[in-house]
């Protein structure tokens, strides 16, 4: 897993329905890294591309 390094990139807002548990995890990780919750999700979800079956 690749850990997040702060970066400033313009993003659009997206509405997602996630559990309170996931919201809390993202919130705390955002506070820990000092980057926005949107950026945490954006960078974390890119890791899906590491799944070799998904790329096919």
């Amino acid at each position: 897993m690749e850990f997040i390094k702060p970066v400033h990139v313009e993003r659009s807002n997206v509405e997602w329905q996630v559990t309170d548990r996931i919201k809390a995890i993202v919130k705390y990780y955002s506070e820990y890294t000092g980057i926005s919750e949107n950026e945490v999700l954006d960078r974390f979800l890119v890791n899906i591309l590491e799944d070799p079956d998904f790329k096919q």
Side-chain angles (χ1 to χ4, degrees):
M1 181 168 144
E2 186 176 323
F3 293 99
I4 297 172
K5 303 281 187 230
V7 129
H8 301 285
V9 178
E10 290 185 38
R11 302 281 187 224
S12 61
N13 290 333
V14 177
E15 278 193 45
W16 292 60
Q17 293 183 5
V18 296
T19 64
D20 289 339
R21 177 178 179 233
I22 297 302
K23 288 178 187 178
I25 292 169
V26 171
K27 176 183 180 259
Y28 296 136
Y29 201 71
S30 172
E31 291 171 358
Y32 168 72
T33 60
I35 63 174
S36 72
E37 293 176 23
N38 288 334
E39 185 69 15
V40 168
L41 287 172
D42 185 65
R43 296 173 128 224
F44 182 77
L45 291 173
V46 168
N47 287 322
I48 291 172
L49 297 175
E50 298 298 319
D51 181 341
D53 293 329
F54 178 68
K55 290 180 181 178
Q56 292 175 3

